[in-house]
Amino acid sequence: MDFTIPRHVEAIAHRVRQFVEEEAIPLESELLRSGADLSVEMVQELRRKARAAKLWAPTMPKAWGGMGLNIQEIAPVFEAAGRSLLGPLAIHCAAPDEGNMHLLHKFADEVQTERFLVPLAKGETFSAFSMTEPPPGAGSDPRMILTRAVRDGGDWVINGHKWLTSNGLLADFFIIMAVTDPDAHPYQGTTQFLAPRETPGIHILRDVPVMGGVDFGGHVEIRYEDVRLPHSAILGSEGQGFMLAQSRLGPARLTHCMRWTGIAQRALEIATDYASGREAFGGALTGHQAVQWMLADSEMELKIGRLLIHEAAWRLAQGEQARVETSIAKVQVAETVSRVLDRCVQICGGRGISRDLPLSTWYEKSRAFRIYDGASEVHRMVVARDVIKRYGAAEQG
Ligand SMILES: Cc1cc2nc3c(=O)[nH]c(=O)nc-3n(C[C@H](O)[C@H](O)[C@H](O)COP(=O)(O)OP(=O)(O)OC[C@H]3O[C@@H](n4cnc5c(N)ncnc54)[C@H](O)[C@@H]3O)c2cc1C
């Protein structure tokens, strides 16, 4: 395995980090102070600056203004962007648009590419991926999808109920997972559709309020009611929905890990800075072993997380599915981020709880990472199946 970061990628990551320091973090502080929500105009202004600095869309082809980096190369770049929650939005590598761009880049036909992907890659539009349904529909077990698409002449008519569709408040189009052949196994009977926002029958019921306050673009509940789409709205082929979802979610899980590692790393720096300057019981907090161990454990766990990200990214870059490695990285990094942020809040005491620092907001917002794109328990199930398959058979044999 080769984890060498090419020099040109290191240079990009360095520039992204500087951009985040100079442009994103001042706005982040301003929003923390005022309690205001991030507006579309603020994001567009950040994006204008990012494009001007030639720090745009790391995963997209250079022909569309992107940086053309592969899954391994983006790790340090996404981590640098992730040092502020505004960084990925600024340089256009935030979820869910980043995962949707990856999906479209792989599977959209020429017409779909021109209509949906190119404007998205340029930052002219927003997108959403609509898979999860409220009970009794699909959540952790995506095979339970209830949303149906039924053929009607040359069209498909979609009916269903989804929720937690991120970016749904702003999305110019939705990628909808729906069952097209209820008699087939869901892995062969489910299809993805590209639905422009203005399609009649897309009813946004509400933005679901979530822990950590308002998220840019929201996480909406939607009723799809007789949403009529032409056959050409199918992404990939009929019945390929799960295969496409897997190709989107594998890398998307890793990119979440990369971005959240950036936040956790910055949290560690903030907490260390506080502990160095704050005195208690006759010396700096950094002189107390309990604090030192919290710092050391955080540093060690972040390092383990990065190595796991690199391994899974390396395997994906070799053309492997890397399902188990991606699951291992997702669990480890999501839980590491939770632990690191918890320790950093603890080290900063009352200041950690206050909104004077971003730690309390990150602590709240990061909690969802142990649930979305597969709860930790579900990824452990994937890892356990692999362990049992490999070692269980040997035991019996
Ligand atoms: C902030 C946020 C953004 C999201 N964005 C999107 C989006 O853009 N598009 C989209 O389609 N979805 C999105 N989701 C939905 C997310 O992917 C689901 O919440 C997740 O897949 C879990 O499904 P569920 O909420 O229905 O949990 P459930 O399926 O009800 O599971 C609840 C809990 O049961 C446990 N559990 C489940 N299965 C097992 C098992 N096999 N073994 C042991 N325990 C288990 C886990 O602890 C799990 O957390 C988002 C969610 C959040 C919180």
Side-chain angles (χ1 to χ4, degrees):
M1 275 174 229
D2 184 1
F3 296 166
T4 315
I5 300 170
R7 286 175 92 98
H8 77 281
V9 175
E10 256 181 37
I12 293 173
H14 178 73
R15 286 177 50 228
V16 168
R17 184 174 167 153
Q18 249 180 339
F19 178 85
V20 169
E21 291 292 327
E22 289 164 15
E23 303 294 348
I25 292 178
L27 177 60
E28 173 195 280
S29 309
E30 176 53 33
L31 293 175
L32 272 178
R33 243 192 320 275
S34 64
D37 291 330
L38 181 66
S39 67
V40 176
E41 292 71 31
M42 290 171 189
V43 171
Q44 298 299 21
E45 177 59 9
L46 277 177
R47 289 181 162 196
R48 193 190 56 71
K49 290 175 178 167
R51 268 192 296 257
K54 300 214 177 322
L55 296 173
W56 183 251
T59 56
M60 286 291 99
K62 289 184 177 166
W64 301 340
M67 298 185 204
L69 300 179
N70 70 27
I71 183 85
Q72 265 187 293
E73 293 169 335
I74 58 175
V77 176
F78 277 37
E79 181 178 336
R83 289 174 62 81
S84 162
L85 294 175
L86 304 183
L89 280 169
I91 73 161
H92 203 17
C93 67
D97 280 346
E98 178 264 317
N100 293 340
M101 288 192 288
H102 171 79
L103 180 66
L104 291 172
H105 196 214
K106 257 185 116 169
F107 296 105
D109 62 27
E110 230 172 276
V111 176
Q112 292 167 340
T113 299
E114 276 308 307
R115 178 163 182 201
F116 295 104
L117 176 55
V118 174
L120 181 63
K122 291 182 175 168
E124 294 163 4
T125 56
F126 294 101
S127 64
F129 187 77
S130 201
M131 181 159 91
T132 305
E133 300 169 346
S140 294
D141 186 351
R143 296 169 304 182
M144 290 160 65
I145 282 191
L146 296 178
T147 297
R148 287 286 310 273
V150 176
R151 244 191 196 285
D152 184 25
D155 293 342
W156 288 89
V157 178
I158 301 178
N159 279 284
H161 186 190
K162 302 277 187 184
W163 82 325
L164 293 169
T165 296
S166 299
N167 242 7
L169 293 178
L170 298 172
D172 293 276
F173 66 93
F174 295 82
I175 303 168
I176 308 170
M177 282 272 284
V179 173
T180 40
D181 182 356
D183 296 328
H185 185 282
Y187 289 157
Q188 282 86 43
T190 306
T191 303
Q192 294 191 5
F193 292 87
L194 289 161
R197 184 184 195 86
E198 61 278 8
T199 314
I202 299 182
H203 303 299
I204 307 290
L205 304 181
R206 63 176 178 140
D207 180 15
V208 181
V210 294
M211 187 189 285
V214 176
D215 281 334
F216 186 74
H219 307 289
V220 303
E221 180 171 354
I222 310 177
R223 177 78 67 183
Y224 296 110
E225 204 176 338
D226 293 331
V227 175
R228 182 174 285 274
L229 294 168
H231 190 71
S232 58
I234 288 180
L235 184 59
S237 311
E238 189 183 330
Q240 278 193 328
F242 269 92
M243 189 275 285
L244 266 64
Q246 190 50 42
S247 346
R248 180 193 184 280
L249 290 172
R253 285 172 182 136
L254 278 192
T255 58
H256 274 307
C257 292
M258 295 167 189
R259 289 183 293 259
W260 276 113
T261 298
I263 286 288
Q265 173 63 36
R266 193 168 143 224
L268 180 59
E269 293 165 20
I270 290 171
T272 310
D273 183 57
Y274 180 84
S276 317
R278 175 67 166 156
E279 300 214 342
F281 300 96
L285 290 178
T286 43
H288 297 290
Q289 195 181 48
V291 172
Q292 289 172 359
W293 283 25
M294 284 197 271
L295 298 176
D297 286 346
S298 300
E299 174 76 5
M300 290 190 288
E301 289 170 23
L302 282 171
K303 200 154 196 174
I304 292 166
R306 282 191 192 94
L307 288 171
L308 292 172
I309 292 170
H310 278 301
E311 189 206 345
W314 180 83
R315 287 187 185 282
L316 285 173
Q318 309 310 304
E320 293 180 31
Q321 272 208 332
R323 273 201 83 170
V324 174
E325 289 78 10
T326 306
S327 284
I328 292 173
K330 166 70 165 67
V331 173
Q332 281 291 331
V333 174
E335 296 184 0
T336 289
V337 168
S338 270
R339 280 193 298 270
V340 170
L341 289 173
D342 187 66
R343 291 183 196 121
C344 292
V345 166
Q346 190 71 17
I347 289 170
C348 293
R351 198 161 158 74
I353 297 291
S354 78
R355 298 285 188 208
D356 288 356
L357 291 176
L359 297 179
S360 52
T361 304
W362 295 342
Y363 178 84
E364 290 166 1
K365 285 194 187 291
S366 67
R367 184 61 183 84
F369 185 29
R370 281 159 55 196
I371 293 173
Y372 58 60
D373 282 16
S376 290
E377 292 76 13
V378 175
H379 287 294
R380 282 192 165 85
M381 183 178 74
V382 172
V383 178
R385 275 187 191 147
D386 179 63
V387 169
I388 294 162
K389 197 169 98 193
R390 289 190 294 132
Y391 308 136
E395 278 290 296
Q396 287 157 25

